[in-house]
Amino acid sequence: MQKEGQLRILFVINPVSGGKGKSDWETQIRETIRDSIHVMEFFLLTGKDDESSVRNHIERVRPHRVVAVGGDGTVKLVAGILRGSRIALGILPAGSANGMARELGIPLTPAEALQVVLNGRLQPIDLVAVNDNDICIHLSDLGLNAMLVKYFEGSKGRGMWGYARAVIRVLWQKQKIHAEISTDDGSIRRGAYMIVLANARKYGTGANINPDGDPSDGRFEVVVLRRLNLVEILKALFTNRSFDPEKFEVITTTKAQIRTHRKTYFQVDGEYRGKTRQVRAEILPGAVQVILP
């Protein structure tokens, strides 16, 4: 029999997030909330058919809350599964950058983040539908950063040195995008080094690409980096300062279509999606309930 106030909480764990082994996170979670009245269930991602496996597990367990234990990719996976449901999404930041957790003000230490999962408030946030069969919870982009994501994924060296090598390679091979951008305000043509679909303000590095962004306002921003400057790029990668507004153009919209004159690198929430000549995006307002401090 379920006790009054008792919650069934399913923890979806990415086994390799943040460099920890899969048993580390489960052990830490159990030790932190072992004296609570809540029922804990654990599901470890394998990288094979994760979405349908998690869906089936949720149907069997029928949890009140599902907690993504990992980085932005894990949060994105769980958010997409919970989209449109009444089940709340918790976040235990266990990745390398944890961009969405930082955006939402969720503590980065496991014990504090777990207290948010247990005692936080529920807030609906938006998702962005991308090309009909994908979603963006945080930031997606064409061009410079997407190229960086691709090269970093393929780099033999991880960590800051691997990242630095990827940055140098991207800056050496940088290409300008010539694009037609259609939004609620009409169509424009732009030459740019990067075009961002922003449902949030900052990248995981802390770079403030979209200072006025709000993941709960029923809109997203198209951010166009028109001019390239080495100082701006270093700022984007390694600081939390805002960009020079003279080099950027920000368009607030509920839908967008971007067509480029040639195939361009594209990433969604830190996951490289290949090269494309067209991206469509539309806001999904209040699509998932998130547990916030």
Side-chain angles (χ1 to χ4, degrees):
M1 178 180 295
Q2 184 173 328
K3 300 177 183 178
E4 183 178 354
Q6 186 181 61
L7 298 171
R8 288 189 303 279
I9 306 174
L10 172 61
F11 293 88
V12 176
I13 301 175
N14 184 337
V16 295
S17 283
K20 282 182 174 286
K22 61 185 178 183
S23 62
D24 294 346
W25 291 113
E26 183 172 343
T27 300
Q28 191 162 9
I29 292 165
R30 287 188 184 278
E31 290 180 351
T32 302
I33 59 177
R34 62 187 173 186
D35 296 327
S36 76
I37 64 171
H38 305 302
V39 177
M40 293 176 285
E41 295 273 351
F42 296 87
F43 185 90
L44 303 180
L45 301 176
T46 65
K48 297 181 180 179
D49 204 21
D50 282 333
E51 182 174 344
S52 63
S53 297
V54 174
R55 285 187 188 277
N56 291 336
H57 203 70
I58 289 173
E59 289 178 6
R60 183 178 68 80
V61 173
R62 297 186 179 277
H64 299 99
R65 299 181 176 186
V66 179
V67 182
V69 186
D72 288 333
T74 310
V75 174
K76 169 191 168 69
L77 171 70
V78 177
I81 294 169
L82 298 182
R83 170 186 166 188
S85 78
R86 300 180 66 181
I87 302 173
L89 166 66
I91 300 174
L92 180 55
S96 300
N98 304 306
M100 199 61 193
R102 294 174 187 272
E103 177 73 30
L104 298 173
I106 294 171
L108 300 183
T109 58
E112 291 180 310
L114 279 166
Q115 288 305 311
V116 173
V117 167
L118 298 178
N119 304 309
R121 62 185 175 88
L122 300 187
Q123 170 73 44
I125 69 166
D126 309 328
L127 300 176
V128 179
V130 178
N131 289 344
D132 300 327
N133 57 1
D134 204 350
I135 64 163
C136 169
I137 190 172
H138 190 222
L139 295 161
S140 302
D141 51 59
L142 290 149
L144 200 68
N145 184 65
M147 189 189 305
L148 175 60
V149 169
K150 177 184 184 296
Y151 289 160
F152 186 58
E153 283 182 354
S155 174
K156 293 181 180 179
R158 306 299 283 178
M160 289 305 295
W161 281 113
Y163 196 60
R165 282 195 293 270
V167 169
I168 293 169
R169 185 175 179 185
V170 165
L171 293 177
W172 183 260
Q173 298 182 9
K174 61 185 182 295
Q175 297 176 345
K176 198 162 191 177
I177 305 166
H178 295 280
E180 179 181 357
I181 304 170
S182 300
T183 66
D184 294 344
D185 295 333
S187 295
I188 58 174
R189 294 182 182 274
R190 292 290 185 269
Y193 288 97
M194 190 164 76
I195 301 174
V196 185
L197 302 173
N199 191 41
R201 295 173 300 159
K202 299 180 179 182
Y203 282 103
T205 59
N208 196 349
I209 189 75
N210 183 33
D212 297 324
D214 180 350
S216 302
D217 65 357
R219 303 178 297 175
F220 67 96
E221 281 72 42
V222 179
V223 183
V224 184
L225 170 57
R226 300 191 304 258
R227 286 186 281 167
L228 185 64
N229 177 288
L230 180 58
V231 173
E232 290 294 315
I233 298 304
L234 295 176
K235 186 191 297 184
L237 299 177
F238 301 113
T239 81
N240 59 4
R241 295 167 56 195
S242 296
F243 291 93
D244 181 352
E246 292 185 358
K247 297 180 176 64
F248 280 77
E249 183 175 2
V250 180
I251 306 163
T252 300
T253 188
T254 61
K255 60 182 181 297
Q257 182 164 281
I258 302 168
R259 297 188 184 92
T260 62
H261 77 296
R262 63 183 175 187
K263 287 189 174 182
T264 304
Y265 296 94
F266 180 53
Q267 68 87 19
V268 179
D269 289 330
E271 298 177 352
Y272 181 61
R273 290 291 189 256
K275 285 187 171 183
T276 185
R277 291 185 61 186
Q278 180 170 283
V279 174
R280 297 179 307 281
E282 185 172 354
I283 198 71
L284 302 171
V288 63
Q289 295 266 359
V290 178
I291 310 167
L292 301 182

